[in-house]
Amino acid sequence: MTAGVDTGGRAPGRPRSAHVDEAIIEAVLGLLAEGGSVETLSIEAIAARAGVGKATIYRRWSGKEALLVDAIASLKGPPPEPLGESVREDLIRLLSVGPKKPDERTAQIMSCLVPEVQRSPERYRLYQGLVEPRREVMRQVLRQGISSGELRADLDVEVAVAALTAPVLIQRMLRWHPGLDDESLPARVVDTLLAGLAH
């Protein structure tokens, strides 16, 4: 399972099989990527797709919501560790996909989840639980930049986090601008914003 995400719904003391876990996670992602909604996603359908019994799923997760959190978290994995060499390099590292090849289904899956986040307070909380660890790592980089003098002392850290992440997120999810290159976009966003964030 993905580190850094507290699902709070796993039963203790059961035997684990990485292969079975992966098959179940893959079943969730596959069903969502094919256009299924969170509401219509059922433990029965997930079990059938994964080739396991419902009891196998319930031994690992308390229910659909806990399973959904782990499935979505697996698309990105934990945030990368900042190297501490410079604010610029750390921010680019955080905004980049990294060595893990991006899952091509991410855009389809996230487009299914966005309406659910808007409609359901519970799923909004689940979403916040997924993204907050990444936000906190970026806050730490920015605060370190303020302490080292690389960034202006009066920097609004929360607005800076939003300004850095939003362009990259929108481009990946919606392909908002076909002329922008996904690989170079993080560095371009960071360099553009650092001109105002520094001094």
Side-chain angles (χ1 to χ4, degrees):
M1 294 296 91
T2 303
V5 177
D6 180 12
T7 63
R10 296 181 186 160
R14 65 186 181 282
R16 299 305 301 258
S17 164
H19 175 73
V20 171
D21 288 357
E22 290 169 8
I24 294 168
I25 292 291
E26 179 61 27
V28 175
L29 297 178
L31 289 167
L32 290 174
E34 291 169 6
S37 70
V38 174
E39 289 301 326
T40 61
L41 189 67
S42 67
I43 294 297
E44 289 81 1
I46 296 166
R49 180 72 167 254
V52 301
K54 290 192 296 181
T56 301
I57 295 177
Y58 284 119
R59 280 196 298 270
R60 288 161 166 78
W61 291 274
S62 59
K64 185 172 73 172
E65 300 291 346
L67 174 52
L68 185 63
V69 168
D70 277 359
I72 300 307
S74 74
L75 287 173
K76 299 191 77 171
E81 288 292 329
L83 300 178
E85 297 174 355
S86 74
V87 170
R88 178 183 182 273
E89 293 305 317
D90 280 341
L91 291 176
I92 293 172
R93 180 176 171 84
L94 288 171
L95 292 174
S96 298
V97 172
K100 178 184 176 183
K101 184 179 179 181
D103 194 312
E104 295 179 353
R105 301 169 298 180
T106 300
Q108 297 98 306
I109 292 170
M110 294 309 295
S111 66
C112 293
L113 294 176
V114 168
E116 298 296 331
V117 169
Q118 296 296 326
R119 287 195 293 260
S120 167
E122 175 61 25
R123 292 192 182 122
Y124 178 78
R125 286 191 292 272
L126 292 177
Y127 169 75
Q128 291 299 324
L130 287 170
V131 299
E132 178 58 24
R134 289 178 172 270
R135 281 197 298 248
E136 181 55 29
V137 173
M138 187 168 287
R139 287 188 195 107
Q140 292 171 8
V141 170
L142 294 172
R143 289 171 184 145
Q144 180 58 39
I146 294 171
S147 298
S148 67
E150 292 179 75
L151 302 179
R152 53 197 290 179
D154 63 347
L155 175 66
D156 187 325
V157 171
E158 296 303 325
V159 172
V161 170
L164 286 160
T165 55
V168 177
L169 181 62
I170 293 299
Q171 179 66 12
R172 285 183 186 150
M173 286 183 60
L174 302 180
R175 301 296 304 156
W176 180 76
H177 192 321
L180 291 175
D181 173 61
D182 286 357
E183 187 172 345
S184 64
L185 183 59
R188 293 172 67 182
V189 169
V190 169
D191 287 340
T192 298
L193 290 175
L194 278 181
L197 299 179
H199 291 289

